[in-house]
Amino acid sequence: MSSVSSDVFLEDEKLQQGADANFVEMQVFDIIDQARRDNGNLTRKEEIRLAVDLCKEKLRLLSESDETDDRRLRQGYLDKLVQLGLEKQTIDDEDNENEEVIRVRDHSFVIQPIRGRNPTCEVCMTTIWKLMHAWRRCKYCGLRTHSSCTSSVGRMCASSIVTRHDFALTMTICEEKGLAAQNYRCHECARPLSFEGSSAVEPRLCDYSGFYFCSSCHWNDQMSIPARMLHNLDSEPRPVSRASKQLLTMIDNRPLIPLGSANPMLIKLNSSLKRINRIRSDFLFMKCYFVSCRTARQLRILQYLCRHQHFVESSDVYTMAEMRDIVSGKLLEEMEDIHQVFLKHITEECETCKGNAFVCELCPDKQIIFPFSDNVSMCCKCLAVFHHKCFELRSRFCPRCERRSKRAPPEEIDPNERL
């Protein structure tokens, strides 16, 4: 009997929800129909805006009520808001696909909305009054201009520079070349510069490129300099030109700083860097275990390094963001935590990974070891792992390679090994 009553109650609830949804639809239809009569050129986006305003107002009025009927009606308005939001997003996406794109010096300028603060045009250096002026923004580097100024843009788009096959960051600390080397002109726009006179002609040094710029091309933006981080672990922001700022912002999360090869002594002298370098080397070994482990693939354990995907591809390069985290100490803490998770999975939790461990064949100790264990050495030919002392005492002799050479046919044996 109670089961029948429950079914009847659920059926009545569904009917009431359907009635509430129809009521909301009728209200939205009425307000749009009235607006169409007043304005025959009403667009669908304007109709959606009217319907959204109606639903928000009704929700405001119903927010203080806690009656069952009002709760159902409130849910009907919320569902309608979600539906209208999805429809508006679809229309916006279609508009963006069809929007006019102006391409100048590899920039892709698209028209921008009037909401938000009024930016500065980076060509004529005047304020863009959005209510009065149409303005555009490059989709890639973010350069902002009046629509009428796009044809006068002289700066190449930073995205086209960083995507060149021969692009490389400047890894030498810039030397001040002096204004005479630039013929007393701005490096970008060739405007005359002088240390004497008004601020409009005052030269400003870019700490990334080493060139002087005018106040229109150099807004005293502050950025960390890759060369100073590479050589001195100095992440202090310094003034750079607009072009340099856009370039450095674009490559902030790209692994382009070859710390291991460009400055290996820094790793040896800095304990934090030395530990990070060891952890990254361990990650490369651990990746070999994870790609052959079904459990690790199901757990997606490598997703712990989603912000540092290049850590499982090489142990040499860093991003600018990572270099700043090295200076602040954040990167070492993060890597230690991830290293412990990986180590626990391989050495304790997963039988498959533990089954791929090694035992040193050069001593009686049968404790399992891994390529990332402390004080171990690896045969460069067969990749077998031994205790470091055992391997060195036996003059780096590998019994595994010896067994393989004995099993191999004579013609496959290296002539040098035969001798």
Side-chain angles (χ1 to χ4, degrees), residues 153-312:
V153 173
R155 183 188 311 156
M156 289 292 296
C157 183
S159 67
S160 68
I161 298 175
V162 301
T163 52
R164 293 174 182 168
H165 70 280
D166 57 345
F167 170 75
L169 280 174
T170 301
M171 290 302 174
T172 55
I173 298 176
C174 69
E175 299 179 0
E176 296 186 25
K177 304 174 179 63
L179 271 179
Q182 298 179 205
N183 198 24
Y184 298 92
R185 293 184 175 275
C186 171
H187 180 69
E188 183 174 314
C189 67
R191 181 179 299 178
L193 299 176
S194 174
F195 286 104
E196 299 177 355
S198 65
S199 59
V201 296
E202 176 189 2
R204 296 179 178 180
L205 177 66
C206 173
D207 201 78
Y208 172 71
S209 64
F211 293 107
Y212 285 95
F213 296 81
C214 65
S215 57
S216 297
C217 303
H218 193 313
W219 294 6
N220 284 324
D221 296 305
Q222 303 282 319
M223 296 290 290
S224 298
I225 309 302
R228 296 188 184 276
M229 290 193 289
L230 173 66
H231 296 289
N232 304 325
L233 284 183
D234 179 7
S235 63
E236 187 70 22
R238 287 177 169 78
V240 294
S241 65
R242 291 295 295 171
S244 295
K245 183 201 174 183
Q246 290 167 355
L247 185 144
L248 292 175
T249 301
M250 191 164 291
I251 55 89
D252 194 60
N253 289 303
R254 298 189 183 187
L256 295 173
I257 301 179
L259 183 60
S261 57
N263 194 359
M265 286 303 298
L266 186 62
I267 297 177
K268 294 181 180 180
L269 297 175
N270 187 284
S271 58
S272 296
L273 266 177
K274 191 174 183 179
R275 177 56 182 163
I276 291 174
N277 194 60
R278 169 60 193 273
I279 291 175
R280 289 193 59 175
S281 178
D282 289 350
F283 284 163
L284 294 178
F285 289 123
M286 291 174 173
K287 176 188 175 182
C288 299
Y289 283 81
F290 295 148
V291 297
S292 60
C293 173
R294 180 182 300 175
T295 305
R297 292 198 302 270
Q298 290 175 345
L299 295 173
R300 297 186 178 182
I301 197 167
L302 286 175
Q303 287 296 316
Y304 280 94
L305 288 173
C306 61
R307 293 179 55 248
H308 313 280
Q309 293 185 3
H310 52 284
F311 279 15
V312 292

